[in-house]
Amino acid sequence: EAGVVQSPRYKIIEKKQPVAFWCNPISGHNTLYWYRQNLGQGPELLIRYENEEAVDDSQLPKDRFSAERLKGVDSTLKIQPAELGDSAVYLCASSFLDVAEQFFGPGTRLTVL
Amino acid sequence: GEDVEQSLFLSVREGDSSVINCTYTDSSSTYLYWYKQEPGAGLQLLTYIFSNMDMKQDQRLTVLLNKKDKHLSLRIADTQTGDSAIYFCAEINQAGTALIFGKGTTLSVSS
């Protein structure tokens, strides 16, 4: 069974440019999470979806970040415009019903120059 | 607020035991977790413990939980070079909606 798939794995952009990350969760997992992991830190939740509904987006900087999960399966996280401080690894995770057992993708490493 | 603290580095020799420690703040956490992250990879769930337990053993891994002191530890027996990675302790947030991670402990295993 395929795990959580993320693309691209790496992205380098200049500040003020837009960028988008894609995530496909494990088949059948209704809950999807986007985390940001800064260098030397643990992951921090940005947004959590149950099916197509965002149930916790309190930590998502809504002035520049947006996310969608239109059909309750795959999801896209967008930053527009990107700032230098957005350089991080963006991790997607999924779980079946329960927040307890989350499976993580390999992440997208974003570098903003 | 919710917070998880870990020591940042641990260095051991191959074959020795490793003990990684963690303290957490939310006494209502139902589950506590240990994740492993290898370079360039996502997080892999190693093991977890339910809050009404004080110990859980899974092959080379032993988790000890001291609820009174809010202290969690992960012991890796017979540590191998392949165990070199960053280990994250995590608890569920009060809302029960997400995991709160520590900053991670980098385990370095020398042969």
Side-chain angles (χ1 to χ4, degrees), chain B residues 28-83:
Chain B
S28 65
S29 288
T30 51
Y31 289 95
L32 294 148
Y33 305 85
W34 285 104
Y35 279 83
K36 176 183 180 182
Q37 187 175 37
E38 297 185 61
L43 276 72
Q44 172 195 355
L45 178 63
L46 278 180
T47 187
Y48 61 91
I49 188 167
F50 190 53
S51 58
N52 69 351
M53 299 170 65
D54 51 22
M55 187 182 88
K56 179 180 180 182
Q57 188 155 359
D58 184 0
Q59 300 182 337
R60 292 191 298 121
L61 305 178
T62 303
V63 179
L64 295 178
L65 174 61
N66 181 329
K67 283 196 71 176
K68 175 176 172 289
D69 295 337
K70 297 179 189 173
H71 182 266
L72 184 73
S73 68
L74 173 69
R75 178 177 181 270
I76 306 173
D78 188 24
T79 312
Q80 303 298 305
T81 54
D83 295 323

Side-chain angles (χ1 to χ4, degrees), chain A residues 6-13 19-22 34-41 79 86-92 105-112, chain B residues 37-42 86:
Chain A
Q6 291 188 247
S7 69
R9 291 294 313 278
Y10 304 92
K11 189 75 176 178
I12 301 174
I13 61 172
V19 65
F21 315 124
W22 178 79
W34 283 103
Y35 288 86
R36 177 167 59 188
Q37 185 177 17
N38 292 314
L39 187 65
Q41 305 289 319
I79 308 174
D86 296 331
S87 294
V89 176
Y90 290 83
L91 294 164
C92 179
T108 297
R109 182 177 296 276
L110 173 67
T111 301
V112 182
Chain B
Q37 187 175 37
E38 297 185 61
I86 303 175

